[in-house]
Amino acid sequence: MKATVSGDIIASTALSTKGRIALEKRLKQLIQLLKKEFGIYARVIKGDYLECYIPNPEEALRVALIIKCFIKSHPIDVKSKKKEIALFRMHGIRLAIGLGSITRFNPRKGIIDGEAIYLSGRLISRQSNPHGERMVIKSTLFIDATIRPVVEEFEPVLALLDVLLARCTARQCEVLTLKLTGLNEEAIASQLKITQATVNQHSRSAGWNAIEKAVNRFNQAIKNLPK
């Protein structure tokens, strides 16, 4: 079993031209981070659609949350004045985890083929708004798998994490991103040039204890699946 994460940026067209250029740069930084920390192949399609291949499926939830927090911590250009920008600020990106087989993978040719990518891609496609309809965001974290008990256990977990992250500020998401990559509070404080007490406060306000437990439970559950 392998894992993929598919995602589309919410209300990216509400960003100013300057904001969209900054977001493109940020997505490149995200891809570099995922490759460095987890050996993940990731790509951006049409500027606002992300696909990731995760060879170690137990890391899929951690990776999805890093992506979510990284995008939500993106600063908003002041010229982005459309009403939809509030949706970007609150949700950032829709993400779907797919767990299943990968039959073909060739990063040089940009090929990711198999059940996992079909599952995550279809989940994202279902959330797309018909042209002209008012955008209503009910949830932004999804999961599908060839093993149904995994979906039954983690669908409600992702729904609760979605609520937590929707309430997080950009700064809190920045702290969560670094925590999810494994940095301790002292290192985070040094990198962000804030006090360790402030890092701790952001962590508690964002619900880090619950997030960490969910990530660890997912990791263990996937590791224990039959090979």
Side-chain angles (χ1 to χ4, degrees):
M1 175 181 287
K2 301 298 182 183
T4 60
V5 172
S6 298
D8 67 329
I9 306 293
I10 293 171
S12 60
T13 56
L15 294 168
S16 67
T17 301
K18 181 180 177 182
R20 287 196 294 273
I21 292 171
L23 179 61
E24 289 173 6
K25 291 180 180 178
R26 193 155 182 82
L27 287 170
K28 290 179 182 178
Q29 293 171 356
L30 173 61
I31 288 172
Q32 291 172 355
L33 172 67
L34 295 176
K35 182 178 181 180
K36 177 184 176 182
E37 297 296 333
F38 301 97
I40 288 169
Y41 169 75
R43 64 187 180 189
V44 177
I45 302 171
K46 296 181 179 178
D48 64 355
Y49 188 87
L50 184 70
E51 286 186 337
C52 303
Y53 167 63
I54 306 168
N56 298 315
E58 65 272 12
E59 297 290 355
L61 180 56
R62 182 183 299 275
V63 169
L65 295 180
I66 287 173
I67 296 169
K68 182 77 165 174
C69 292
F70 194 92
I71 297 300
K72 274 208 66 179
S73 66
H74 177 67
I76 306 298
D77 182 62
V78 293
K79 293 183 180 179
S80 301
K81 295 181 179 179
K82 293 182 180 180
K83 291 181 180 179
E84 291 87 350
I85 202 66
L87 295 174
F88 177 86
R89 185 176 283 109
M90 178 176 289
H91 302 292
I93 187 170
R94 291 188 188 90
L95 291 167
I97 297 170
L99 293 164
S101 64
I102 289 292
T103 53
R104 289 194 304 155
F105 173 61
N106 188 327
R108 292 183 64 185
K109 294 183 177 180
I111 296 173
I112 310 174
D113 193 15
E115 291 173 319
I117 195 67
Y118 299 152
L119 291 171
S120 61
R122 280 197 293 261
L123 280 174
I124 292 300
S125 295
R126 289 176 199 159
Q127 313 309 316
S128 299
N129 283 44
H131 182 69
E133 280 195 12
R134 178 174 173 269
M135 187 180 292
V136 178
I137 309 298
K138 294 182 179 178
S139 55
T140 65
L141 291 174
F142 311 93
I143 185 169
D144 202 358
T146 52
I147 300 175
R148 292 308 302 171
V150 172
V151 180
E152 292 166 2
E153 177 176 355
F154 288 103
E155 268 187 341
V157 174
L158 264 63
L160 290 170
L161 290 173
D162 206 355
V163 173
L164 271 180
L165 295 180
R167 296 173 178 174
C168 287
T169 65
R171 191 57 149 176
Q172 288 168 354
C173 284
E174 197 171 15
V175 169
L176 289 177
T177 299
L178 296 173
K179 282 214 155 197
L180 286 161
T181 57
L183 292 184
N184 60 33
E185 291 189 349
E186 183 178 0
I188 293 170
S190 176
Q191 183 166 326
L192 298 182
K193 295 180 172 53
I194 57 179
T195 67
Q196 190 170 342
T198 301
V199 172
N200 185 265
Q201 182 181 1
H202 284 320
S203 299
R204 286 186 285 107
S205 297
W208 169 249
N209 287 341
I211 292 169
E212 184 179 35
K213 286 178 181 178
V215 167
N216 290 340
R217 171 58 194 149
F218 183 92
N219 188 289
Q220 197 60 46
I222 302 305
K223 278 185 176 179
N224 288 339
L225 290 175
K227 302 297 183 182

